Amino acid sequence: MNKGEPENALGLFDEARQKEPGQAEYHAAAGDALMAMERAEEAEKAYRETIKLSAQTPEYMFRLGQALWAQGHRDKAEKTLIAGLSYDTDENQPEIRIALSKLLIEKAEHLLTDISQMTSNFVEIVPRPHLQGNCIPFAAIR
């Protein structure tokens, strides 16, 4: 979308949602416009309404997961994306798998950073070159 287009699109979709509030597609399209404007919290609400009005399709679960992720709700995004996978019985939604993979990689990186910071406070690895044989030539002391 070009600059200004998401705002115009959102206005049209909001109008359509008022006229036909039961049409899930209008809520999803509004959520897409909101995401394009970096308004993830509002997009989340639109996607939740979409899911409430329709089946929990992989596509809508993916969009909700993206909105949650954009807000920093990594655990909720992960659960939503995993739920979306359970509805993707034909495996037609590779973007869900890609998004979930990225989220899990990011989560693993954060965990490794946390572990590294925690252990650096307690353990100092000191080389012990004089130890030979079956011993590990390092000692952990603090």
Side-chain angles (χ1 to χ4, degrees):
M1 286 186 200
N2 293 327
K3 189 174 181 177
E5 287 184 10
E7 291 87 356
N8 293 337
L10 180 60
L12 294 172
F13 294 130
D14 280 344
E15 198 174 299
R17 289 194 297 176
Q18 289 176 357
K19 289 180 182 176
E20 297 182 62
Q23 291 295 320
E25 296 80 15
Y26 296 147
H27 295 279
D32 294 344
L34 289 161
M35 286 296 288
M37 295 186 299
E38 298 181 3
R39 293 166 53 184
E41 188 173 334
E42 293 171 79
E44 175 193 348
K45 291 175 186 173
Y47 293 139
R48 288 192 185 282
E49 186 65 20
T50 302
I51 292 167
K52 188 172 109 180
L53 293 170
S54 67
Q56 291 184 333
T57 66
E59 180 183 350
Y60 294 150
M61 298 298 282
F62 167 72
R63 292 178 187 183
L64 176 58
Q66 292 292 89
L68 292 165
W69 187 348
Q71 295 175 71
H73 303 308
R74 302 297 195 252
D75 289 339
K76 289 179 183 179
E78 179 182 348
K79 289 176 186 174
T80 301
L81 291 169
I82 289 171
L85 282 177
S86 70
Y87 296 108
D88 188 22
T89 56
D90 297 330
E91 298 185 6
N92 291 329
Q93 302 290 325
E95 62 272 4
I96 295 176
R97 287 168 175 70
I98 292 167
L100 185 57
S101 297
K102 287 179 181 178
L103 187 135
L104 293 174
I105 288 168
E106 182 181 297
K107 188 175 182 179
E109 288 171 347
H110 283 289
L111 286 172
L112 288 172
T113 300
D114 291 347
I115 290 168
S116 176
Q117 290 172 351
M118 288 183 335
T119 58
S120 69
N121 292 331
F122 299 106
V123 177
E124 180 180 345
I125 304 298
V126 178
R128 305 280 304 265
H130 63 282
L131 295 176
Q132 298 293 321
N134 295 331
C135 297
I136 298 172
F138 293 94
I141 43 177
R142 187 38 101 180

